[in-house]
Amino acid sequence: LLNDNAITNVMIVGVGNMGRALLHYRFHERNKMKVVMAFDTDDHPEVGSTTSDGIPIYGISQIKEKIFCFLKVIKLHPSFV
């Protein structure tokens, strides 16, 4: 689609070496994507923190809850997308 400025929200599962690299990659500047959240094992040391860009990192046991909440926000506030 020409002149499509829509941003695709994505999440990353796994914040090991590759996941951290993806978290710090500037998707929004190059690919019209925005990382909105990340997940890893519940006992991963980075769970409960946020990246320098403000991306929250959650435990994998919260994935259903967080996706549901995110979709609810989008439904209530379509301009958020």
Side-chain angles (χ1 to χ4, degrees), residues 7-35:
I7 303 243
T8 301
N9 293 305
V10 298
M11 66 177 185
I12 295 175
V13 177
V15 293
N17 292 334
M18 182 60 76
R20 277 195 308 274
L22 291 170
L23 282 172
H24 296 292
Y25 183 76
R26 303 278 185 206
F27 283 103
H28 60 281
E29 293 173 4
R30 298 178 179 96
N31 299 316
K32 296 184 183 177
M33 289 189 283
K34 178 181 178 185
V35 178

Side-chain angles (χ1 to χ4, degrees), residues 43-77:
D43 60 350
H44 191 280
E46 292 189 42
V47 166
S49 66
T50 58
T51 67
S52 59
D53 291 331
I55 301 166
I57 302 172
Y58 300 111
I60 196 71
S61 65
Q62 295 181 287
I63 196 166
K64 283 184 182 179
E65 171 194 348
K66 295 301 178 182
I67 291 172
F68 178 75
C69 288
F70 184 76
L71 293 174
K72 212 164 141 183
V73 166
I74 290 173
K75 187 175 182 180
L76 295 172
H77 306 283

